[in-house]
Amino acid sequence: MTRQEPLGASELTEQAIEELETRGWCQGRLENETGEVCYLGAYEFAMAQLGVSSWQLYREAWQASHKEFAELGGKGTGYDIPAWNDAPGRTKEEVLERMTLVAKRLRDKGL
């Protein structure tokens, strides 16, 4: 089934959280050889799970999510989510915490 209606940024982020929790977390690649995903990879798999075939729908939701991430600060990496995800010492728990906070901020804004 292909989705054509607008995709809420909070919905996309919540599905990305589920993907990361289910698949596991990795650094340095969207998906590693055992199926674990990084922050960005979780969003790409979320898009597939939600049946989104339109990159326009995905891009709009991703941009809103990215804006919330940027407003939270990247601890020295600015707006670069892959650099933040891949930072030495970063943990899965930190990534899930950030994604959960982004989802909450999006929900609070009705996005």
Side-chain angles (χ1 to χ4, degrees), residues 27 39 66 69-90 94-95 98:
Q27 292 180 296
Y39 191 118
H66 187 267
F69 176 92
E71 287 179 5
L72 291 168
K75 294 185 182 177
T77 59
Y79 308 127
D80 189 349
I81 291 174
W84 182 85
N85 181 87
D86 297 347
R90 181 75 58 224
E94 289 175 309
V95 173
R98 176 60 63 96

Side-chain angles (χ1 to χ4, degrees), residues 16-27 29-32 34-43 45 85 91-93 95-96 99:
I17 291 167
E18 187 174 320
E19 292 296 322
L20 198 137
E21 287 176 331
T22 301
R23 294 172 174 276
W25 173 73
C26 70
Q27 292 180 296
R29 341 176 42 167
L30 291 175
E31 178 185 23
N32 68 15
T34 61
E36 297 167 323
V37 294
C38 70
Y39 191 118
L40 183 58
Y43 276 84
F45 280 97
N85 181 87
T91 66
K92 176 182 178 182
E93 291 72 26
V95 173
L96 286 170
M99 292 173 88

Side-chain angles (χ1 to χ4, degrees), residues 1-8 11-12 15 43-61:
M1 183 169 139
T2 302
R3 181 183 183 126
Q4 296 301 323
E5 70 270 11
L7 173 64
E11 180 183 8
L12 177 64
Q15 183 64 43
Y43 276 84
E44 292 199 10
F45 280 97
M47 183 177 88
Q49 285 297 320
L50 292 170
V52 178
S53 63
S54 165
W55 281 100
Q56 177 68 25
L57 294 177
Y58 172 75
R59 187 174 66 237
E60 290 169 4

